[in-house]
Amino acid sequence: VLWWRSVGHSVNGFVMESLVDELAHAAGKDPVEYRRTLLKDHPRHLAALNLAAEKSGWTTPAPQGRARGVAVHESFGSYVAQVAEVSVEDGQIRVHRVVSAIDCGVAVNPGAVEAQMESGIVFGLGAALHGALTLKEGQVQESNYHDYRVLRLHEMPRVEVHIVASTEKMGGVGEPGTPPIAPAVANAVFKLTGQRLRELPLRLPTPASSTPTA
């Protein structure tokens, strides 16, 4: 186990926010409403969640053949919520849109905040969709970016970044954009296909239906 962008938050965010989504489904609750109940005493988490839900149009139907998933995570003094809109094309996960909201305290340079969030999302998506290392006789088989894929230009979704107006102490922005993206995508895939993906990188085990499970 070595360092990733956002360090341990990357894998812990995936586990925790995937689990919360499973709990919401088991309770028969909307994933955003379920989180609002859990976060009622955590105003900064809640502010990011509410902003991301509003800007993504969470309560409106997703475009045909797509579904949305949500995740919320706190790291490095900042609070980030993301909504991912995905489809499945030829058995592969396709991310079309990511709406991200961050409460990083006082945003001294909003443009830099947006750029860092975008790059954290790109990094997290590349890892979530492609970033597998394989070992054979103790050696890593991948040698460069031709066989250890990063996100390609044609795979890049539309990304929208919204900053929560805040007077709180400044938090980080270089790493907090990464942890929520993998679970947001995985939760959207579940909504779309009914298949719960619990390992990274995200792989659909069988040809998936595009019919939402509600």
Side-chain angles (χ1 to χ4, degrees):
V1 178
L2 293 174
W3 307 127
W4 218 31
R5 186 167 180 171
S6 76
V7 202
H9 290 280
S10 52
V11 290
N12 288 331
F14 174 67
V15 171
M16 295 304 296
E17 279 301 285
S18 296
L19 176 60
V20 170
D21 212 71
E22 292 199 42
L23 293 173
H25 179 72
K29 303 292 186 182
D30 174 82
V32 167
E33 290 301 326
Y34 187 79
R35 284 172 173 81
R36 282 175 174 154
T37 301
L38 294 179
L39 298 171
K40 60 183 176 62
D41 297 324
H42 299 270
R44 299 186 70 186
H45 291 83
L46 194 56
L49 173 62
N50 287 339
L51 185 57
E54 174 195 346
K55 296 299 185 180
S56 67
W58 180 266
T59 58
T60 64
Q64 186 173 4
R66 301 182 188 180
R68 299 187 186 107
V70 63
V72 187
H73 190 77
E74 171 194 354
S75 62
F76 305 95
S78 293
Y79 304 76
V80 177
Q82 291 174 359
V83 174
E85 185 175 289
V86 310
S87 68
V88 173
E89 300 176 358
D90 299 322
Q92 302 297 312
I93 299 166
R94 177 80 168 92
V95 183
H96 299 271
R97 182 185 180 211
V98 177
V99 177
S100 184
I102 178 172
D103 179 351
C104 57
V106 177
V108 175
N109 185 341
V113 175
E114 293 176 13
Q116 289 287 354
M117 293 299 293
E118 290 166 350
S119 65
I121 289 166
V122 174
F123 178 89
L125 269 181
L129 298 178
H130 304 304
L133 289 177
T134 53
L135 294 170
K136 183 177 180 181
E137 297 179 355
Q139 287 192 319
V140 174
Q141 298 303 292
E142 290 77 16
S143 62
N144 211 319
Y145 292 121
H146 69 287
D147 53 9
Y148 182 81
R149 282 191 59 190
V150 295
L151 200 71
R152 305 295 197 227
L153 186 61
H154 72 278
E155 298 174 298
M156 182 63 191
R158 173 183 161 196
V159 175
E160 303 164 36
V161 178
H162 302 278
I163 301 172
V164 176
S166 177
T167 58
E168 298 288 343
K169 178 182 176 180
M170 288 180 288
V173 295
E175 314 221 35
T178 296
I181 188 59
V185 171
N187 295 338
V189 170
F190 173 76
K191 176 72 173 178
L192 187 67
T193 69
Q195 298 185 75
R196 185 65 74 178
L197 304 182
R198 298 185 176 92
E199 295 182 5
L200 295 172
L202 302 172
R203 295 282 185 269
L204 287 167
T206 59
S209 166
S210 60
T211 303
T213 60

